Amino acid sequence: MSAKHSRMNTITIVGPESAVTAVPRILGFAPRHSVVILWVSRGTVALAQRADFPTGDADEWAHHLVAIADRVGADAALDIWVDTQPPNSAFVDAVHHACGRRGIPLMATIATDGQSWIDEGVPWNDRRVLPEALRWRGPLREDFTVSPDPGRTWIRRARPLAPAEGAVAIAELMEHAQSEVDRWTHAKARRAVRALQEVRVRDCLLWHVCATPLVARSLALHLARLLRRVAPQATGQLAVTAAMAFWVAGDGYRASVVLERALADLPGEPLGQMLDAALRTGLPPHTWVEVVRATPFEDCPVGRVCAR
């Protein structure tokens, strides 16, 4: 079985150990306290899905989790439970029952802490240590948490920019998007935050991202760094823009992390709510990108595109 990860290299999975070691390469990070389901279609991993363990009803959680299998045409799955302890049997049973109701066989069920792994068939008592070269190394999940950086001066909410200043800020942001170097001066950072208080600036920037999606990942990373310098409740549309850019780049995990910050600052923001629904239902970003790209720039408030 093979899988494609974000750099489009092929990863071959031939057994439980290689499935465990493939997870950070497929997701782009090493998860914690999560279940990772590799949905397989015709021998290839069609989707790697990560979810936190449930805090409420396990059966309802599993039902919503497994619903995505229909969207990707899955005909088999592997479930990998990531924690320092063997997984809660109620969680495992709930996922297995939900898969069974859809007629999806489980190829393997594995527990791992990233350093060793256990196959359920043993069951859960024969821990095998991964070879040193295959053990998971950071970054771990909490490293992606977006929060203000106390080591830097916070940027607080300021008056919006004039239209001409907004155009300058957008040009600077797109210039950043095409560079791997984080070159935010305080003046440029403040101008970007001020510009992204406004929906019209966000829409303009996201139109450019959809027109040239190869810059989406770099822009998202730059905006996420900038977020760490913004005081709580002062992000305006900055966090929404970063989350959307991560989604366009195919990085649903980071999109969901940044979206938490966006919705904490702007709970009812329509584009943020749309992205939240898209991430929960597994909507692929290209469906949104294609509609935006087909819309003339002057006619495109991107937050309304999905309503068409």
Side-chain angles (χ1 to χ4, degrees):
M1 177 173 59
S2 65
K4 297 292 184 68
H5 68 135
S6 59
R7 295 183 181 177
M8 300 307 292
N9 295 325
T10 298
I11 301 169
T12 301
I13 299 174
V14 295
E17 183 176 278
S18 62
V20 170
T21 59
V23 164
R25 296 175 63 196
I26 295 172
L27 294 180
F29 64 96
R32 296 184 68 186
H33 310 305
S34 310
V35 60
V36 178
I37 303 179
L38 304 183
W39 296 107
V40 179
S41 177
R42 299 180 181 180
T44 297
V45 175
L47 179 72
Q49 179 186 25
R50 188 212 65 84
D52 292 326
F53 297 144
T55 56
D57 183 78
D59 290 331
E60 182 179 358
W61 166 78
H63 171 75
H64 290 294
L65 191 67
V66 171
I68 201 171
D70 295 337
R71 187 180 294 276
V72 299
D75 52 38
L78 295 82
D79 51 324
I80 301 172
W81 301 81
V82 184
D83 204 350
T84 54
Q85 302 294 326
N88 185 315
S89 59
F91 301 165
V92 178
D93 289 345
V95 168
H96 288 189
H97 291 156
C99 286
R101 285 192 291 271
R102 282 179 162 75
I104 299 174
L106 277 300
M107 302 172 66
T109 297
I110 306 162
T112 185
D113 59 3
Q115 309 300 305
S116 58
W117 62 277
I118 312 169
D119 189 320
E120 185 195 24
V122 182
W124 306 128
N125 60 7
D126 185 13
R127 187 177 295 273
R128 282 151 281 189
V129 177
L130 290 166
E132 176 67 28
L134 300 180
R135 295 177 194 173
W136 292 4
R137 294 170 175 79
L140 297 175
R141 181 175 178 226
E142 55 264 33
D143 292 338
F144 294 123
T145 300
V146 178
S147 59
D149 182 348
R152 297 188 180 188
T153 303
W154 277 0
I155 299 172
R156 301 184 182 277
R157 191 182 299 278
R159 64 174 178 82
L161 299 181
E165 294 176 297
V168 171
I170 290 168
E172 290 174 344
L173 284 161
M174 290 303 294
E175 180 183 356
H176 266 77
Q178 298 175 56
S179 170
E180 295 297 324
V181 181
D182 187 8
R183 297 179 297 180
W184 290 113
T185 64
H186 187 74
K188 284 186 177 182
R190 186 173 177 79
R191 181 158 48 239
V193 172
R194 288 174 61 196
L196 285 168
Q197 300 299 311
E198 298 187 43
V199 169
R200 64 180 179 85
V201 176
R202 177 205 71 189
D203 283 0
C204 179
L205 186 59
L206 287 177
W207 188 92
H208 286 297
V209 168
C210 291
T212 53
L214 289 177
V215 306
R217 180 176 179 79
S218 177
L219 177 65
L221 289 169
H222 286 307
L223 292 178
R225 294 187 192 106
L226 186 57
L227 272 172
R228 293 187 173 92
R229 299 172 62 176
V230 181
Q233 309 303 315
T235 62
Q237 294 294 328
L238 172 59
V240 178
T241 308
M244 290 295 295
F246 274 127
W247 184 51
V248 170
D251 194 337
Y253 175 75
R254 288 181 178 88
S256 66
V257 173
V258 179
L259 186 62
E260 290 179 6
R261 174 83 186 269
L263 294 179
D265 280 6
L266 296 173
E269 211 293 317
L271 189 61
Q273 296 289 344
M274 184 218 78
L275 178 57
D276 183 49
L279 291 168
R280 285 188 285 103
T281 59
L283 182 71
H286 71 81
T287 57
W288 184 79
V289 171
E290 288 170 2
V291 177
V292 174
R293 293 180 71 175
T295 305
F297 174 73
E298 60 273 13
D299 297 334
C300 186
V302 298
R304 300 177 193 166
V305 162
C306 279
R308 296 184 179 183

